[in-house]
Each structure stands twice: as structure tokens, then as C-alpha cells.
Amino acid sequence: MATRGKLTIVEGMAISEVIAANWDEIYNFQARPGDVLIDTYPKSGTTWMQEIVDLVVHDGDEQICRRAPIFERMPFLELSHLMKPGMEEINAMPSPRILKTHLPVQLVPASFWRHKCKVIYVARNAKDVLTSYFHFDTIVGIHPDPEPFEDYVLRFMKGDVAWGSWYDHVKGFWEERNEHNVLYILYEDLKKNPQQEIRKVAKFLGKELPEDVLNKIAKLTVFEVMKTNPMANFTGFPKELVDQSDKCFMRKGKVGDWKTMFSAQQLEIFEANYKQQMSNTTLTFSDKI
Ligand code: PPS
């Protein structure tokens, strides 16, 4: 990739310089009552959850959910100065809006909490996030070059990647889930039992959907189906931000793909550090199939 962006620190979190440049407007975003926020650490199943939520809201109507690319249907707050829909379009969207962010719990714009907005948080196990993020960062122009993988593992452990520490992100939302209106979902559970997890999402959003609709939504949001859906697979995303000429956004969608990347030595270092960083939480993950 020709040009490479840099990270800087905002409120203790590493973030792309071009996002940091607009931080005040991002943090001061005015949420409205009824807005729904889908929040994740990057590469944790955001897009998957976005498609699920849109289908839930529209009673499983796949035609309506193909009205526009996913990043237009549910704008990404932090990129609102870098692509359309921008801040102006987001502010003009009718309520209730569904928005995407990767901000950690302490940096979610205060207006979301003030209006008691519903937040759906998706977390994915660290090693698969790291693996997915490494591949993704090779095609994201606003982030530094992730190579080599051995350095990326160390950067990830230190939180020296965009949106900061995975450990603090997943733990932060876990600790505060009962303080706010937060539904905490695990990627691995969604993979294992999609219908059950989609039922939770529907209930949280106040929708009572019959089993056949839940089943339909589960089928429409399976990785292989979403990968071929041009309105859900990110193919139309601006090339300046994510260059998919050689690699695609919808990569593998698996649990346990980290095994293709970690050497035995990297695994040992990572696991020892993981134990330490996750020693103060009741949150646990499965990273096996
Ligand atoms: S982003 O850029 O942070 O918003 O990415 P995000 O959508 O959070 O995560 C991308 C990873 O999720 C995988 N994905 C899916 N997995 C299972 N089922 C479905 N339907 C699905 N859709 C997307 C996507 O392939 C990325 O993971 P990897 O491991 O790289 O394949």
C-alpha cells in the first residue's frame, strides 16, 4: 500500500491521526432517545451484528435490508468526517437511528448514556481478533503497516493498535453492562447458536419475532450468505480507506483461525500476558471451534 497512516493517542486510546483530528465533534455527537448503538472492539463481528439488527428491526425482510450498503444503513461514527454518510447526513437521519462505533465504554459520547440508548456490544476472543485485525490492517490505509506478525502480537498486547487495548475494551463494557442499557453478546456464541443469540437481540430491541423469522435471519446472516450479499459484504466501501483489490473484508468468519498464525513461542508469550491482563474479570471466552 502506497501511503500509510499513523496512530496517535486520544484520551489514553491509540487511534488513527485522521480520526483524532475530529475527536471533539465525535465525542460531542448528539444521540437522540431511541438511537441504537452497535459497539465492538474492531474485528469482533460488528458487520454481522449490524445485518442481524437491520433484519430484526425489519421483521426479516431481506429486500428492505438490501436498500443500501450496510455502512450507509448504519453509519460509523468515527469515520463520519472521512466518508459518507458524514455528520451532516447522520444528523439528518430520521429516528430511530442505528449507529456503529468502536469506542471503549468510557469514550462513548455522553449523549448516548444521557438518553439511555440501547447498546449492543459484541466481543470476540482475543487471538481471533488479533488475527483478523492483522489481516485487515494490511488493507487499511489510515493505519500503520501491521507487518511483521510477531511485532503485531506485541503491539496488540500493549494496546498499540487503533482503538487501543482489546483487554480494556471488553472488560470495560463487561463491568459496566448493568449500569447502562447494554446487551453483551459473544461472537463465539453467535457462531454456535445463532438463533438463540438473535432471539436475545430481538428481545432487547423490543421485537417479538416468531421462530421461523428468527431462523430466516440466522440463515441470511451466515458468513457464506453475507459474503455474497453486495449490500452486506463491504465491497462498495471507499477504496481510499479499505483497499480490497487483493484481500477482502469478508475473510474467513471462523472461530480458531488464530491457529494459522501463532507460532508456539508467540502463543506462550501471548497466553502468559493474557492471564495477567484478564486476571481481574469474570469475563471468559472460548477460542476453539
Ligand atoms: S470491523 O472492520 O471492525 O467493523 O470488522 P467486524 O465486522 O467487526 O469484523 C470482521 C470479522 O467478522 C467476520 N464476519 C463474520 N463472521 C461470521 N459470520 C458472519 N456473518 C460474518 N460477517 C463478518 C469477518 O469475516 C471478519 O473476521 P475474519 O476472521 O477476518 O474473517
Side-chain angles (χ1 to χ4, degrees):
M1 189 168 286
T3 51
R4 276 293 179 178
K6 287 193 184 136
L7 302 182
T8 185
I9 303 290
V10 168
E11 305 286 347
M13 168 190 72
I15 193 78
S16 156
E17 279 184 349
V18 291
I19 293 179
N22 299 297
W23 175 250
D24 286 346
E25 209 184 337
I26 294 167
Y27 185 71
N28 290 310
F29 176 75
Q30 289 306 306
R32 299 184 207 130
D35 284 344
V36 174
L37 190 63
I38 298 175
D39 198 331
T40 61
Y41 188 82
K43 314 321 289 177
S44 302
T46 332
T47 316
W48 190 9
M49 183 54 73
Q50 285 176 270
E51 191 65 4
I52 288 171
V53 167
D54 206 22
L55 282 158
V56 163
V57 168
H58 293 102
D59 303 307
D61 186 330
E62 58 189 295
Q63 290 318 318
I64 293 183
C65 295
R66 284 179 180 248
R67 67 195 177 285
I70 201 151
F71 47 86
E72 287 179 15
R73 285 180 271 149
M74 300 176 184
F76 185 3
L77 206 50
E78 292 93 303
L79 294 192
S80 56
H81 295 83
L82 303 175
M83 62 179 283
K84 297 282 178 196
M87 235 2 142
E88 216 173 292
E89 288 87 6
I90 300 176
N91 287 333
M93 275 173 83
S95 289
R97 300 171 296 185
I98 300 167
L99 301 160
K100 159 183 171 176
T101 185
H102 290 316
L103 292 172
V105 71
Q106 74 281 11
L107 298 181
V108 168
S111 56
F112 283 99
W113 305 133
R114 211 168 42 242
H115 294 305
K116 301 193 175 2
C117 295
K118 291 180 182 173
V119 179
I120 301 177
Y121 186 80
V122 188
R124 184 183 190 185
N125 80 81
K127 294 201 290 285
D128 281 333
V129 168
L130 190 163
T131 302
S132 177
Y133 212 171
F134 172 76
H135 288 293
F136 189 59
D137 270 351
T138 64
I139 61 172
V140 177
I142 64 171
H143 291 171
D145 185 353
E147 303 275 3
F149 184 71
E150 62 197 85
D151 289 357
Y152 198 77
V153 173
L154 302 177
R155 282 181 50 203
F156 185 92
M157 281 160 39
K158 284 190 289 187
D160 181 22
V161 290
W163 285 279
S165 160
W166 173 88
Y167 312 86
D168 292 348
H169 209 291
V170 297
K171 286 191 293 183
F173 261 99
W174 181 251
E175 302 316 327
E176 298 222 6
R177 70 196 186 287
N178 298 326
E179 305 294 314
H180 302 295
N181 216 349
V182 174
L183 176 69
Y184 205 105
I185 296 277
L186 298 180
Y187 178 102
E188 294 75 20
D189 290 346
L190 203 48
K191 195 85 193 165
K192 209 160 137 190
N193 200 341
Q195 202 155 323
Q196 170 191 294
E197 298 306 300
I198 294 168
R199 192 180 301 117
K200 282 187 201 165
V201 171
K203 189 167 176 239
F204 182 67
L205 295 175
K207 296 282 292 187
E208 255 189 59
L209 299 178
E211 286 303 305
D212 62 322
V213 174
L214 293 174
N215 187 22
K216 182 182 174 194
I217 296 174
K219 284 189 175 144
L220 287 170
T221 53
V222 159
F223 179 78
E224 291 70 21
V225 174
M226 271 184 63
K227 192 177 164 81
T228 58
N229 175 357
M231 294 298 134
N233 66 9
F234 252 73
T235 40
F237 202 75
K239 203 175 169 202
E240 322 79 78
L241 294 169
V242 180
D243 184 355
Q244 298 182 78
S245 334
D246 296 329
K247 292 182 177 177
C248 61
F249 177 90
M250 298 291 284
R251 202 180 58 93
K252 291 191 183 172
K254 286 185 178 166
V255 177
D257 189 50
W258 60 269
K259 288 178 192 150
T260 62
M261 295 299 288
F262 281 71
S263 68
Q265 196 193 8
Q266 283 158 358
L267 189 59
E268 198 179 316
I269 295 168
F270 188 88
E271 293 294 12
N273 177 269
Y274 185 92
K275 218 171 163 184
Q276 223 175 356
Q277 298 215 50
M278 298 299 276
S279 63
N280 57 352
T281 181
T282 53
L283 176 63
T284 56
F285 289 88
S286 159
D287 55 27
K288 293 176 192 68
I289 308 148

